[in-house]
Amino acid sequence: MKQSGFATAEATARYRQRFAKRIPPDHFHEFQGLSLSSIGIGTYLGHYDEATDRLYHDATVHAVESGCNVIDSAINYRCQRSERSIAMAIKELVGKGLSRDEIVVASKGGFIPYDALPPKDVRAYFETHFVKPGIANFSDIVAGCHCMTPKYLLNQLDRSLDNLNLECLDIYYLHNPETQLGKLSREEFNQRLLEAFEALEQAVSEGKIRTYGAATWNGFRNEPSAKEYLSLAEVVELAANVAGKDHHFKVIQLPLNLGMTEALSLNNQRVGGKQLTVLEAAQALGIAVMCSASILQGQLTRNLPPIINDIFSELKTDGQRALQFVRSTPGVTTALVGMKQIAHVEENLEAARTPPASWEQYSKLFQTSEAG
């Protein structure tokens, strides 16, 4: 039987209260009335094997028990195995007394997912699992890996719900939609995006998701002249064209870390006649921001410049300092970090015991950069 329900304001507030004596209250940020931890667990990397399945299961259980109630995945992560590992973790957590409505679970659809292992013949796999059942055609695929037709997305959502053993997802992302801009005209892309949003609004009305958004890599970080650039205001307008001001496009995901600062530093978004960063644009438009690659897949866990240690001196490791940079950035709801080792969960969640850096402290990083 699938886990019923979804994250609620009352339950996530109860979750926050569980940690009141151990973690500062500003570890939690508000999203659509929910209390979300400023650090979330990602499940992207790893082998396609049972050993890694178990690692993610154990890490997810430990993370939620340590003050992290945001779980992020995608159907294509590890050939659907990450979603299935999360399902087992949630089952164990519920068995221990946690309720489903205390946790915010997000997944994504768009890339072609394999099942358990990569197939030997990708074309034959796609034909068997998608073309013959009438889910998608070869002509729907862009760049050999991406599809966002309504029928395909709704199929992928149902599969994710099955994998996760949930009746409803709290957040469902269109995964790297800018991939299609490499091949499509802007007009055709916008039409496909509008049709995708129609499908996702339908999923909201059917109780399968609560909100939706776009998880991107380059789209919101590009210069406006770039082919794969995404304007947040235009994307939100498309959602409004579908469902009016009560649309459910409420969240975006993009990289932000000490090595990829465009969300904070690049004024590439135009809202209300003003040039803004994507973080500023999101705030102006009422959109939450989840940040991926917070420690750049482990590359920022060592050998950081001394200035980082000086500014975030209350933290013990470079990994914690890199994470502190992201979770302290104004406008960021949650810093996502891949965790499949208990030791990494403990190190990362130890950072939650330190309040996010004040603006005075945080801004020293940029004052030092300008002085240099």
Side-chain angles (χ1 to χ4, degrees):
M1 181 180 295
K2 289 183 179 179
Q3 297 284 346
S4 62
F6 45 81
T8 66
E10 179 182 4
T12 55
R14 184 172 66 245
Y15 179 88
R16 182 184 66 225
Q17 190 59 33
R18 288 174 183 263
F19 300 92
K21 294 182 180 180
R22 290 184 281 162
I23 299 177
D26 46 9
H27 166 54
F28 292 92
H29 297 153
E30 184 175 313
F31 164 68
Q32 297 292 294
L34 308 177
S35 295
L36 274 64
S37 54
S38 66
I39 298 172
I41 182 169
T43 58
Y44 172 44
L45 297 176
H47 296 296
Y48 323 113
D49 56 31
E50 292 183 5
T52 308
D53 295 343
R54 171 54 60 176
L55 289 174
Y56 270 121
H57 165 275
D58 293 348
T60 301
V61 170
H62 195 61
V64 175
E65 291 179 333
S66 302
C68 165
N69 73 333
V70 178
I71 303 172
D72 184 80
S73 196
I75 192 169
N76 62 303
Y77 287 178
R78 299 178 52 252
C79 301
Q80 303 185 55
R81 300 179 79 121
S82 287
E83 288 186 329
R84 293 164 186 168
S85 296
I86 290 168
M88 297 305 294
I90 293 175
K91 180 179 180 180
E92 180 172 331
L93 287 161
V94 170
K96 291 180 173 182
L98 195 88
S99 61
R100 157 69 182 100
D101 52 7
E102 294 180 65
I103 311 170
V104 174
V105 185
S107 197
K108 313 176 188 75
F111 287 110
I112 306 301
Y114 304 138
D115 195 346
L117 293 169
K120 294 181 179 179
D121 187 331
V122 173
R123 183 181 177 86
Y125 170 85
F126 184 77
E127 184 172 12
T128 298
H129 293 277
F130 295 96
V131 177
K132 288 183 178 179
I135 297 166
N137 297 313
F138 284 110
S139 59
D140 297 327
I141 306 305
V142 173
C145 63
H146 198 273
C147 181
M148 60 182 195
T149 60
K151 193 170 186 178
Y152 174 81
L153 285 177
L154 293 175
N155 169 269
Q156 293 296 279
L157 171 58
D158 285 342
R159 289 193 183 192
S160 285
L161 290 171
D162 288 343
N163 286 340
L164 291 159
N165 197 37
L166 299 177
E167 290 185 354
C168 180
L169 271 169
D170 301 293
I171 302 170
Y172 192 68
Y173 296 104
L174 188 56
H175 200 176
N176 287 21
E178 70 269 29
T179 301
Q180 302 223 346
L181 280 168
K183 299 292 183 180
L184 304 181
S185 68
R186 182 69 60 169
E187 181 180 9
E188 188 175 2
F189 171 80
N190 284 344
Q191 180 61 35
R192 290 193 179 190
L193 202 58
L194 185 143
E195 292 171 1
F197 290 171
E198 289 176 340
L200 295 176
E201 290 288 348
Q202 175 187 330
V204 172
S205 67
E206 293 174 353
K208 293 182 178 181
I209 60 175
R210 298 289 288 171
T211 59
Y212 64 93
T216 67
W217 188 255
N218 292 321
F220 292 124
R221 297 189 304 116
N222 276 332
E223 294 282 359
S225 59
K227 188 170 179 61
E228 293 187 351
Y229 168 77
L230 291 177
S231 161
L232 182 57
E234 291 178 4
V235 171
V236 171
E237 184 179 4
L238 285 173
N241 288 342
V242 171
K245 63 181 179 60
D246 295 324
H247 66 82
H248 294 83
F249 185 100
K250 298 298 181 184
V251 57
I252 61 172
Q253 186 180 127
L254 77 164
L256 173 66
N257 55 59
L258 285 165
M260 302 167 73
T261 64
E262 294 91 346
L264 173 67
S265 60
L266 181 62
N267 293 317
N268 66 341
Q269 300 289 324
R270 192 163 185 82
V271 180
K274 296 180 180 179
Q275 285 298 125
L276 305 172
T277 68
V278 70
L279 285 169
E280 292 169 333
Q283 287 185 306
L285 295 165
I287 304 297
V289 180
M290 306 289 185
C291 291
S292 58
S294 297
I295 58 173
L296 199 54
Q297 299 175 357
Q299 295 181 52
L300 299 174
T301 60
R302 57 194 175 275
N303 302 323
L304 293 182
I307 183 61
I308 305 299
N309 180 47
D310 293 341
I311 292 173
F312 303 122
S313 59
E314 67 275 23
L315 294 159
K316 298 175 183 177
T317 68
D318 277 351
Q320 291 174 343
R321 296 177 193 114
L323 196 52
Q324 183 74 333
F325 166 78
V326 181
R327 68 189 286 264
S328 301
T329 301
V332 171
T333 300
T334 298
L336 300 169
V337 56
M339 295 183 268
K340 62 177 183 292
Q341 301 287 345
I342 295 296
H344 292 160
V345 172
E346 293 179 346
E347 178 182 346
N348 292 331
L349 269 296
E350 181 66 26
R353 302 181 192 278
T354 300
S358 67
W359 176 247
E360 181 182 6
Q361 178 186 11
Y362 183 88
S363 61
K364 288 180 181 177
L365 179 63
F366 304 99
Q367 293 167 7
T368 304
S369 299
E370 290 170 3

